[in-house]
Amino acid sequence: LGGGSLELALGRGPKLDLAASLKLGALRMTERFFAGGPATPKEFRKLVRHVRKHLDPLARRIRRAKPQAFVGTSGTILALGRLACELETGERPRDLHHRKVSIESLREVVQRLSRLDPKQRQQVPGLDRRRADIIVAGGIVLVTALDRVGAREIVLCEWALREGLLIDYIGRHREDLARAQEIPDPRRRSVLEMVERYRH
């Protein structure tokens, strides 16, 4: 869940069954639906309807696949997850990676934040001040999306695209990386690779 879009992916292991990008980002939805004070019930409902309208065709496909886990990554999701963890346990978590939080805790966090204006949200302990403006819209998008796909909880993930690219690269270049570890000197390694290439 970024500022401009909500990215959805469904898969098993390395196999990707669905990938979609919807223009439901936290910043985009804040600018479109909220005037700047506490969220009014009308603003709240309008955004929920908007998310459902754009998400429901994909949500039906996701529900039919019966996913075993729902994983969320991004600054907005982690910020909401941190507050939800604190609500569930009474303690502020140091590490969020692989922590599970319930949709009900997230819903409660969003309801509480929606009653505050952006300046009041900046004073909320554990919430990054830079996210105070967009956190309510992001939270509504997240909770509505989880609700529509049938999730009861979400696994928080501190990794993102950069780490995914790195893992993908390692998976596709295991032999080269193993050789680099075995022969650390690049000059010697390139000579041996050339010998091997022209051996036949």
Side-chain angles (χ1 to χ4, degrees):
L1 175 59
S5 62
L6 172 67
E7 310 296 328
L8 298 169
L10 174 69
R12 263 174 232 274
K15 185 173 178 286
L16 189 63
D17 298 321
L18 178 151
S21 179
L22 302 176
K23 293 179 179 178
L24 297 172
L27 177 59
R28 189 190 296 264
M29 296 300 96
T30 299
E31 290 174 347
R32 179 164 177 180
F33 288 95
F34 296 105
T40 67
K42 186 178 179 183
E43 289 171 334
F44 206 111
R45 286 193 303 271
K46 280 179 76 174
L47 178 51
V48 169
R49 281 198 301 271
H50 180 78
V51 174
R52 286 179 175 178
K53 177 184 167 187
H54 288 84
L55 183 66
D56 274 1
L58 289 171
R60 284 191 286 273
R61 282 182 62 189
I62 293 169
R63 280 200 309 273
R64 281 197 299 270
K66 298 181 180 172
Q68 295 177 354
F70 296 87
V71 180
T73 178
S74 79
T76 298
I77 291 176
L78 293 175
L80 290 161
R82 178 174 282 108
L83 295 174
C85 280
E86 192 171 348
L87 184 67
E88 290 178 353
T89 65
E91 297 176 3
R92 190 167 306 152
R94 287 197 203 101
D95 182 25
L96 292 172
H97 200 53
H98 288 175
R99 292 288 293 259
K100 293 179 183 177
V101 291
S102 72
I103 187 174
E104 292 311 320
S105 296
L106 288 166
R107 199 188 310 278
E108 177 62 26
V109 165
V110 175
Q111 289 285 353
R112 290 182 185 186
L113 291 173
S114 71
R115 292 192 282 267
L116 307 174
D117 65 37
K119 282 196 173 174
Q120 290 170 318
R121 286 181 223 136
Q122 288 179 4
Q123 309 309 314
V124 173
L127 178 62
D128 184 342
R129 293 167 63 90
R130 293 169 300 180
R131 296 193 182 279
D133 289 347
I134 65 169
I135 198 75
V136 169
I140 294 170
V141 171
L142 175 63
V143 170
T144 306
L146 290 173
D147 190 49
R148 302 313 278 173
V149 298
R152 301 273 60 88
E153 64 181 14
I154 188 170
V155 180
L156 303 175
C157 178
E158 292 181 331
W159 290 2
L161 183 60
R162 179 181 51 206
E163 288 82 4
L165 288 169
L166 186 58
I167 289 167
D168 182 62
Y169 180 86
I170 290 168
R172 288 186 292 109
H173 296 87
R174 285 185 195 281
E175 282 184 30
D176 296 340
L177 294 168
R179 181 170 290 163
Q181 192 171 11
E182 190 182 313
I183 308 164
D185 179 25
R187 196 174 294 166
R188 183 162 184 250
R189 192 167 62 245
S190 69
V191 169
L192 289 171
E193 283 171 0
M194 189 177 288
V195 168
E196 198 171 302
R197 192 176 300 136
Y198 294 108
R199 181 179 288 168
H200 303 295

